[in-house]
């Protein structure tokens, strides 16, 4: 399976549809954000073009999603608070099935970031309201790092001031932006020496290590190697890393968990440490982490 994110597959929309396309609809009740657009087949290409100027959160959902209406309301509130710095694009998976297919959506709700014409995965779950403001702040930081001009706020109003990053975290971000992953690792490690419980530094270090392990790897060749050599621990670990980097979180966890069955102690230790790293990358709030942790504990003990 190839990476489901990156360039949006518009080819699927160029095929004849089974019926006439329906207009975009807003799943659930509520007042749309002032910075919201309902996505249709006809409007998707323009949305991609617009993402060169404004980062766009793509929410693919349905009125059938439990807690989906509350999630949408929280997203709208936070997007409006940014005064146009972020756009919210809503895809009704029930009426815009071909758009959902082009976005390679496998689960509802799915929240994606569309920026500079490319899609990046965020989460396939309902996020707690307490996490949404932090998420949008991170989206704006990504946009700035990519050279986008972010308006301070609507009608000349300044957006709320962000707390400055700890110096070593800022140093790690700058190193990542320059492509110096070794320097980023060093900065995160120093931060953890000073603050061992720093969750951001732990997650950042795990992510950079993942990036280092997969840097320069040819995806198809790595997957072929793991398919041909199912008992090759290195090949399986690498493919799990590639799954994780490509957004196939459950596939990455499952591949590693399967390696624990009947494994010797050395293999168990290696796989356990890799799983713990990938749990950090996914984040404690990711709904896929807890069941994977439980299964790991059962297989280990």
């Amino acid at each position: 399976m190839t990476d489901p994110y990156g360039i949006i597959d518009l080819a699927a929309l160029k095929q004849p549809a089974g019926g006439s396309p329906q207009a975009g609809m807003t799943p659930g009740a509520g007042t749309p954000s002032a910075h919201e657009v309902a996505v249709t087949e006809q409007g998707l290409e323009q949305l991609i073009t617009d993402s060169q100027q404004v980062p766009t959160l793509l929410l693919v959902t349905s009125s059938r999603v439990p807690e989906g209406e509350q999630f949408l309301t929280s997203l709208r509130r936070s997007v409006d608070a940014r005064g146009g710095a972020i756009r919210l694009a809503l895809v009704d998976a029930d009426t815009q099935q071909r758009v959902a297919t082009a976005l390679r959506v496998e689960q509802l709700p799915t929240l994606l970031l569309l920026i500079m014409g490319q899609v990046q995965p965020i989460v396939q779950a309902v996020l707690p309201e307490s996490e949404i403001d932090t998420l949008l702040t991170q989206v704006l930081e990504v946009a700035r790092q990519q050279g986008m001009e972010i308006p301070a706020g609507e009608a000349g109003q300044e957006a709320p001031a962000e707390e400055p990053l700890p110096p070593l975290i800022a140093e790690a971000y700058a190193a990542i932006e320059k492509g110096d992953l070794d320097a980023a690792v060093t900065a995160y490690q120093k931060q953890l020496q000073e603050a061992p419980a720093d969750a951001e530094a732990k997650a950042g270090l795990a992510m950079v290590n993942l990036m280092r392990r997969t840097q320069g790897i040819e995806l198809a060749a790595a997957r072929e190697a793991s398919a041909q050599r199912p008992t090759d621990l290195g090949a399986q670990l690498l493919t799990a890393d590639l799954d994780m980097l490509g957004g196939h979180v459950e596939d990455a966890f499952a591949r590693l968990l399967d390696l624990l069955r009947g494994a010797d102690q050395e293999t168990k230790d290696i796989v356990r440490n890799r799983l713990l790293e990938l749990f950090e990358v996914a984040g404690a709030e990711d709904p896929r982490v807890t069941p994977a942790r439980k299964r790991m504990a059962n297989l280990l003990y």
Side-chain angles (χ1 to χ4, degrees):
M1 186 181 296
T2 57
D3 181 357
Y5 299 105
I7 302 296
I8 296 176
D9 180 15
L10 292 176
L13 300 182
K14 298 183 185 298
Q15 303 298 322
S20 58
Q22 295 173 284
M25 297 174 63
T26 301
T31 304
S33 161
H35 310 286
E36 178 180 327
V37 60
V39 182
T40 64
E41 292 181 26
Q42 295 82 1
L44 183 56
E45 195 161 359
Q46 183 60 51
L47 193 71
I48 295 169
T49 300
D50 291 345
S51 73
Q52 301 284 344
Q53 281 76 45
V54 58
T56 301
L57 288 174
L58 271 169
L59 177 63
V60 188
T61 188
S62 161
S63 58
R64 298 175 283 106
V65 172
E67 302 180 15
E69 183 178 330
Q70 180 181 349
F71 182 31
L72 177 57
T73 298
S74 299
L75 275 173
R76 285 168 167 165
R77 185 182 303 118
S78 193
V79 165
D80 277 342
R82 267 65 183 182
I86 297 177
R87 172 182 283 184
L88 177 62
L90 197 58
V91 179
D92 187 335
D94 295 326
T95 64
Q96 298 296 321
Q97 295 178 2
R98 280 161 38 102
V99 173
T101 298
L103 294 169
R104 298 175 175 86
V105 169
E106 299 177 353
Q107 182 175 320
L108 297 179
T110 288
L111 186 63
L112 307 163
L113 172 61
L114 175 60
I115 186 168
M116 304 297 286
Q118 295 204 5
V119 171
Q120 301 175 18
I122 296 178
V123 70
Q124 292 179 323
V126 171
L127 283 175
E129 184 172 7
S130 59
E131 296 182 14
I132 292 177
D133 279 339
T134 300
L135 168 65
L136 266 64
T137 298
Q138 293 171 343
V139 167
L140 290 176
E141 180 59 29
V142 169
R144 290 188 184 97
Q145 289 176 2
Q146 296 201 19
M148 300 179 74
E149 293 186 6
I150 304 301
E154 195 170 29
Q157 297 177 353
E158 292 188 359
E162 297 178 16
E163 293 185 10
L165 292 170
L168 286 168
I169 297 292
E171 182 180 325
Y173 282 5
I176 294 170
E177 189 174 353
K178 294 175 183 176
D180 190 346
L181 300 183
D182 291 342
V185 166
T186 299
Y188 279 130
Q189 288 174 337
K190 288 180 179 177
Q191 177 66 17
L192 287 171
Q193 288 173 357
E194 295 182 6
D198 189 324
E200 184 175 2
K202 287 180 180 179
L205 179 60
M207 186 64 202
V208 174
N209 278 329
L210 174 63
M211 293 166 67
R212 283 206 303 182
R213 291 194 299 268
T214 55
Q215 195 170 35
I217 297 297
E218 208 284 310
L219 180 63
R223 291 195 182 283
E224 178 66 18
S226 63
Q228 294 295 326
R229 304 195 298 272
T231 60
D232 185 328
L233 179 59
Q236 302 306 317
L237 290 172
L238 178 57
T239 300
D241 280 345
L242 292 168
D243 282 339
M244 193 72 185
L245 198 64
H248 302 286
V249 178
E250 290 177 338
D251 290 344
F253 291 169
R255 182 180 295 274
L256 295 179
L257 289 166
D258 286 346
L259 293 174
L260 292 174
R261 287 199 188 95
D264 58 41
Q265 191 58 50
E266 182 181 3
T267 298
K268 284 183 176 181
D269 289 343
I270 293 171
V271 174
R272 174 184 175 276
N273 289 336
R274 184 60 55 87
L275 276 165
L276 291 176
E277 273 200 72
L278 297 191
F279 291 161
E280 289 287 355
V281 172
E285 299 301 323
D286 190 301
R288 295 161 291 193
V289 169
T290 297
R293 279 188 181 276
K294 289 180 180 178
R295 188 179 168 204
M296 181 182 73
N298 289 336
L299 289 168
L300 286 173
Y301 311 112

